[in-house]
Amino acid sequence: MDRQVTIVKCVVWDLDNTLWNGTLSEDGEVTLFEGLREVIEQLDHRGILQSVASKNDHDHAWAKLEELGVAEYFLLPRISWGPKSDSVREIAERLNFAQNTIAFIDDQPAERAEVTFHLPEVRCYDAGQALSLPGLPEFSPAASTVDSRRRREMYKAGFERDVARSDYSGPDEDFLRSLELTMTIGKAGDEELSRVEELTLRTSQMNATGVHYSDATLRGLLADPAHEVLVVTMSDRFGTHGAVGIVLLEKLTEAWHVKLLATSCRVVSWGAGATILNWLCDQAARAGVHLVADFRRTERNRMMEIAYRFAGFTDQDCACKSAILHAPEIEGTERLHLEPSRQPASSTVTVIAKDIEEAPATA
């Protein structure tokens, strides 16, 4: 996929004369424009979230969306009489999405202009373009995955977790235990490959290098017995988090080379990154090898560096680093080192994983 095309992660819809035909406060009875239900369903299937920014009475408008059978598709609706730029900004912030991944669609040029003035990175579309949205490249992710098809449900469950957390008065560690978190780490198969590729594209804050691995590259690594392509999923009592992390690992005799570690920012607060590193360190200690991890600073991945440092990775030179000199080094990449020791199991996350096999004898 052309990396110059930034995929839209959320579409914010106006209602009157955009989603439905008519003005609710004046006409009372309104109907969805023909074909828009299919557009909404298509975008949802592709993992593009949808919300509402409308100047209307909230209860009346939401009841109408429920009556029309589409309310379930809209997260974080902002239905009030305030500026729509405020509504769009609040939605982006609540989702933790960059503004250039938000699309706003409205029939009124003045409303689009108001949003553009205050939020210049948000992409605005006239209501007349609504039926054509699924055909535009920015609304066409490279692949439709299991996780993308259920992204809306995962975000809904996430909001329920947030409410539970705000209502919980005890220590954070006790709350995490109450979630009954389970992490599964396993080798990627055909079904998981597209999820792994998607994570390398979508994850920026907790991405150790910012490098995108294509489907062809990932398949090549899967076929190589010296490499592990691991996908990490999480679930809890509220539901699944889906695929939340990837580890690309080359197994050599003296060291394991962590070429990429990336986790979704959605699960940072649940300790996903630390849990993966804890498990990886324990696996390496069991195998009697050092760990060498690639890290390349980007504008957004400071948290990933902190995770590595907290786990004990340093800039220390070690003879084991010579074992990975064959691996091409991307400009700006540092190679962090750790001599691992056995690690206790997490007190808040149950990890289900098979042991990593040792390096092939020919390595």
Side-chain angles (χ1 to χ4, degrees):
M1 187 182 73
D2 185 351
R3 296 202 59 182
Q4 293 182 346
V5 176
T6 300
I7 295 297
V8 168
K9 293 183 179 182
C10 179
V11 181
V12 181
W13 293 86
D14 170 48
L15 297 178
D16 292 334
N17 294 307
T18 297
L19 190 71
W20 56 48
N21 187 10
T23 301
L24 185 63
S25 61
E26 297 175 1
D27 302 328
E29 289 304 318
V30 295
T31 57
L32 288 179
F33 278 111
E34 186 176 354
L36 279 195
R37 185 184 301 275
E38 290 73 19
V39 169
I40 292 168
E41 292 173 350
Q42 278 185 287
L43 297 177
D44 182 72
H45 188 77
R46 296 177 185 184
I48 297 173
L49 302 181
Q50 296 171 84
S51 188
V52 169
S54 172
K55 291 181 178 178
N56 260 301
D57 174 76
H58 178 278
D59 292 346
H60 190 193
W62 189 250
K64 181 58 66 174
L65 287 169
E66 290 181 323
E67 179 186 322
L68 294 171
V70 293
E72 65 179 302
Y73 291 101
F74 300 112
L75 302 177
L76 306 172
R78 295 298 189 266
I79 304 173
S80 67
W81 300 102
K84 291 187 180 179
S85 61
D86 289 348
S87 296
V88 174
R89 181 187 292 107
E90 290 170 7
I91 293 165
E93 290 176 351
R94 186 70 178 82
L95 291 171
N96 196 28
F97 287 175
Q99 291 181 9
N100 68 346
T101 66
I102 304 295
F104 173 64
I105 181 164
D106 195 298
D107 66 302
Q108 293 293 321
E111 297 289 6
R112 299 196 301 272
E114 190 269 336
V115 169
T116 297
F117 180 80
H118 293 285
L119 307 172
E121 290 188 296
V122 171
R123 282 172 279 188
C124 294
Y125 300 81
D126 179 78
Q129 298 175 268
L131 294 179
S132 67
L133 295 185
L136 299 177
E138 62 267 35
F139 294 89
S140 305
S144 175
T145 68
V146 171
D147 284 352
S148 66
R149 292 190 290 273
R150 60 188 180 191
R151 183 162 290 125
R152 170 170 48 89
E153 286 80 5
M154 291 193 292
Y155 270 84
K156 280 186 177 179
F159 298 145
E160 292 176 4
R161 292 184 195 99
D162 291 344
V163 171
R165 186 167 200 165
S166 65
D167 291 344
Y168 195 88
S169 58
D172 285 348
E173 190 167 335
D174 288 348
F175 172 71
L176 290 177
R177 276 194 285 268
S178 78
L179 288 176
E180 303 172 13
L181 287 159
T182 299
M183 174 180 286
T184 302
I185 305 174
K187 294 184 178 181
D190 286 341
E191 174 65 29
E192 290 81 16
L193 270 185
S194 59
R195 297 155 79 186
V196 171
E197 182 184 8
E198 183 184 36
L199 270 172
T200 69
L201 279 170
R202 296 175 68 96
T203 304
S204 57
Q205 292 182 4
M206 290 293 287
N207 188 317
T209 65
V211 175
H212 167 231
Y213 285 80
S214 67
D215 180 84
T217 300
L218 290 170
R219 289 185 183 279
L221 295 177
L222 274 177
D224 181 358
H227 280 85
E228 296 280 356
V229 181
L230 304 175
V231 61
V232 182
T233 60
M234 287 186 75
S235 63
D236 61 25
R237 62 187 175 92
F238 288 102
T240 182
H241 296 264
V244 299
I246 57 173
V247 180
L248 301 184
L249 184 73
E250 183 178 15
K251 301 172 294 184
L252 301 168
T253 304
E254 298 179 19
W256 287 352
H257 180 196
V258 186
K259 295 182 174 181
L260 176 65
L261 170 62
T263 66
S264 170
C265 60
R266 292 183 290 109
V267 292
V268 170
S269 59
W270 312 131
T275 301
I276 295 170
L277 282 170
N278 184 76
W279 174 80
L280 188 58
C281 291
D282 188 68
Q283 288 287 300
R286 287 171 180 262
V289 296
H290 291 192
L291 287 171
V292 179
D294 284 357
F295 177 77
R296 183 172 67 95
R297 286 182 176 83
T298 68
E299 294 180 355
R300 293 172 58 85
N301 71 350
R302 172 66 175 160
M303 293 172 65
M304 191 73 249
E305 181 178 16
I306 292 172
Y308 268 135
R309 300 294 186 181
F310 190 78
F313 283 83
T314 70
D315 299 311
Q316 170 192 351
D317 285 327
C318 178
C320 73
K321 286 188 177 181
S322 63
I324 62 173
L325 291 178
H326 69 284
E329 187 172 336
I330 300 169
E331 184 178 356
T333 299
E334 304 172 50
R335 284 188 167 152
L336 307 178
H337 175 267
L338 175 68
E339 186 174 352
S341 59
R342 292 296 307 276
Q343 300 294 310
S346 170
S347 63
T348 58
V349 182
T350 300
V351 177
I352 301 173
K354 292 183 178 180
D355 290 340
I356 297 176
E357 299 173 359
E358 294 185 8
T362 55

Short mmCIF file of all heavy atoms in Angstrom, two decimals, residues 5 10 81 115 133 149 158 171 176 200 213 271 303-304 310 341 349 351 356:
data_model
loop_
_atom_site.label_atom_id
_atom_site.label_comp_id
_atom_site.label_asym_id
_atom_site.label_seq_id
_atom_site.Cartn_x
_atom_site.Cartn_y
_atom_site.Cartn_z
N VAL A 5 -0.70 7.53 1.65
CA VAL A 5 -2.13 7.61 1.92
C VAL A 5 -2.37 7.29 3.39
O VAL A 5 -2.12 6.18 3.83
CB VAL A 5 -2.93 6.62 1.03
CG1 VAL A 5 -4.41 6.65 1.40
CG2 VAL A 5 -2.72 6.96 -0.43
N CYS A 10 -11.62 7.11 11.72
CA CYS A 10 -12.95 7.40 12.23
C CYS A 10 -13.64 8.42 11.34
O CYS A 10 -13.05 9.44 10.98
CB CYS A 10 -12.88 7.93 13.66
SG CYS A 10 -14.49 8.36 14.38
N TRP A 81 -25.73 21.62 20.77
CA TRP A 81 -25.85 22.83 19.97
C TRP A 81 -24.55 23.61 19.91
O TRP A 81 -24.52 24.74 19.44
CB TRP A 81 -26.98 23.72 20.53
CG TRP A 81 -28.30 23.01 20.51
CD1 TRP A 81 -28.93 22.43 21.56
CD2 TRP A 81 -29.12 22.77 19.36
NE1 TRP A 81 -30.10 21.85 21.15
CE2 TRP A 81 -30.25 22.04 19.80
CE3 TRP A 81 -29.01 23.09 18.00
CZ2 TRP A 81 -31.26 21.63 18.94
CZ3 TRP A 81 -30.03 22.69 17.15
CH2 TRP A 81 -31.13 21.97 17.61
N VAL A 115 -15.03 23.58 10.98
CA VAL A 115 -14.17 22.48 11.42
C VAL A 115 -12.78 22.64 10.82
O VAL A 115 -11.77 22.47 11.52
CB VAL A 115 -14.80 21.12 11.02
CG1 VAL A 115 -13.79 19.99 11.23
CG2 VAL A 115 -16.07 20.87 11.84
N LEU A 133 -17.60 7.27 -0.47
CA LEU A 133 -16.52 7.12 0.53
C LEU A 133 -15.82 5.76 0.46
O LEU A 133 -14.58 5.71 0.48
CB LEU A 133 -17.06 7.36 1.94
CG LEU A 133 -17.57 8.77 2.28
CD1 LEU A 133 -17.95 8.84 3.75
CD2 LEU A 133 -16.54 9.83 1.94
N ARG A 149 -12.70 -6.19 11.69
CA ARG A 149 -14.14 -6.40 11.57
C ARG A 149 -14.86 -6.30 12.91
O ARG A 149 -16.07 -6.13 12.95
CB ARG A 149 -14.41 -7.76 10.90
CG ARG A 149 -13.99 -7.80 9.43
CD ARG A 149 -14.50 -9.04 8.74
NE ARG A 149 -13.85 -10.26 9.18
CZ ARG A 149 -12.72 -10.74 8.67
NH1 ARG A 149 -12.11 -10.08 7.69
NH2 ARG A 149 -12.19 -11.86 9.12
N GLY A 158 -13.72 -1.37 25.55
CA GLY A 158 -12.70 -0.52 26.15
C GLY A 158 -13.31 0.61 26.96
O GLY A 158 -12.82 0.95 28.05
N PRO A 171 -6.29 -0.15 44.88
CA PRO A 171 -5.01 -0.02 44.17
C PRO A 171 -5.12 -0.48 42.73
O PRO A 171 -5.91 -1.37 42.40
CB PRO A 171 -4.07 -0.94 44.97
CG PRO A 171 -4.72 -1.09 46.32
CD PRO A 171 -6.20 -1.04 46.06
N LEU A 176 -6.33 -4.36 38.10
CA LEU A 176 -5.87 -5.16 36.97
C LEU A 176 -6.16 -6.64 37.20
O LEU A 176 -6.56 -7.36 36.28
CB LEU A 176 -4.37 -4.94 36.75
CG LEU A 176 -3.97 -3.57 36.21
CD1 LEU A 176 -2.45 -3.46 36.10
CD2 LEU A 176 -4.60 -3.29 34.85
N THR A 200 1.97 -3.29 12.33
CA THR A 200 3.19 -2.55 12.00
C THR A 200 2.85 -1.21 11.35
O THR A 200 3.63 -0.26 11.42
CB THR A 200 4.12 -3.36 11.07
OG1 THR A 200 3.54 -3.48 9.77
CG2 THR A 200 4.41 -4.73 11.64
N TYR A 213 6.51 -3.97 7.96
CA TYR A 213 6.85 -5.24 7.33
C TYR A 213 5.68 -5.67 6.45
O TYR A 213 4.55 -5.83 6.93
CB TYR A 213 7.14 -6.31 8.39
CG TYR A 213 8.48 -6.13 9.06
CD1 TYR A 213 8.65 -5.20 10.08
CD2 TYR A 213 9.58 -6.88 8.67
CE1 TYR A 213 9.88 -5.02 10.70
CE2 TYR A 213 10.82 -6.72 9.29
CZ TYR A 213 10.96 -5.79 10.30
OH TYR A 213 12.18 -5.62 10.92
N GLY A 271 -0.39 -3.03 31.01
CA GLY A 271 0.91 -3.66 31.20
C GLY A 271 1.32 -4.61 30.11
O GLY A 271 2.17 -5.49 30.33
N MET A 303 7.76 6.08 24.62
CA MET A 303 7.27 5.10 25.59
C MET A 303 7.90 3.73 25.38
O MET A 303 8.13 2.98 26.33
CB MET A 303 5.75 5.00 25.50
CG MET A 303 5.02 6.25 25.95
SD MET A 303 3.23 6.15 25.59
CE MET A 303 2.76 4.80 26.65
N MET A 304 8.20 3.40 24.13
CA MET A 304 8.81 2.11 23.83
C MET A 304 10.23 2.06 24.38
O MET A 304 10.66 1.04 24.93
CB MET A 304 8.82 1.88 22.32
CG MET A 304 9.20 0.46 21.91
SD MET A 304 7.90 -0.74 22.22
CE MET A 304 8.64 -1.69 23.55
N PHE A 310 13.41 0.09 31.16
CA PHE A 310 12.88 -0.41 32.42
C PHE A 310 13.10 -1.91 32.54
O PHE A 310 13.28 -2.44 33.65
CB PHE A 310 11.39 -0.07 32.53
CG PHE A 310 10.81 -0.32 33.89
CD1 PHE A 310 11.03 0.58 34.92
CD2 PHE A 310 10.04 -1.46 34.15
CE1 PHE A 310 10.49 0.35 36.19
CE2 PHE A 310 9.51 -1.70 35.40
CZ PHE A 310 9.74 -0.78 36.43
N SER A 341 17.85 -12.75 32.86
CA SER A 341 17.75 -13.69 33.96
C SER A 341 16.31 -14.17 34.04
O SER A 341 15.41 -13.56 33.47
CB SER A 341 18.16 -13.02 35.28
OG SER A 341 17.35 -11.89 35.54
N VAL A 349 -1.40 -10.54 34.87
CA VAL A 349 -1.75 -11.06 33.54
C VAL A 349 -1.36 -12.54 33.46
O VAL A 349 -0.22 -12.90 33.75
CB VAL A 349 -1.03 -10.29 32.41
CG1 VAL A 349 -1.47 -10.82 31.05
CG2 VAL A 349 -1.28 -8.80 32.52
N VAL A 351 -0.29 -15.46 31.26
CA VAL A 351 0.33 -15.61 29.94
C VAL A 351 0.21 -17.06 29.48
O VAL A 351 0.60 -17.98 30.20
CB VAL A 351 1.81 -15.18 29.96
CG1 VAL A 351 2.45 -15.41 28.58
CG2 VAL A 351 1.95 -13.72 30.38
N ILE A 356 9.78 -20.72 23.23
CA ILE A 356 10.46 -20.48 21.96
C ILE A 356 11.49 -21.57 21.74
O ILE A 356 12.28 -21.86 22.65
CB ILE A 356 11.13 -19.10 21.95
CG1 ILE A 356 10.07 -17.99 22.07
CG2 ILE A 356 11.96 -18.89 20.68
CD1 ILE A 356 10.66 -16.59 22.16
#
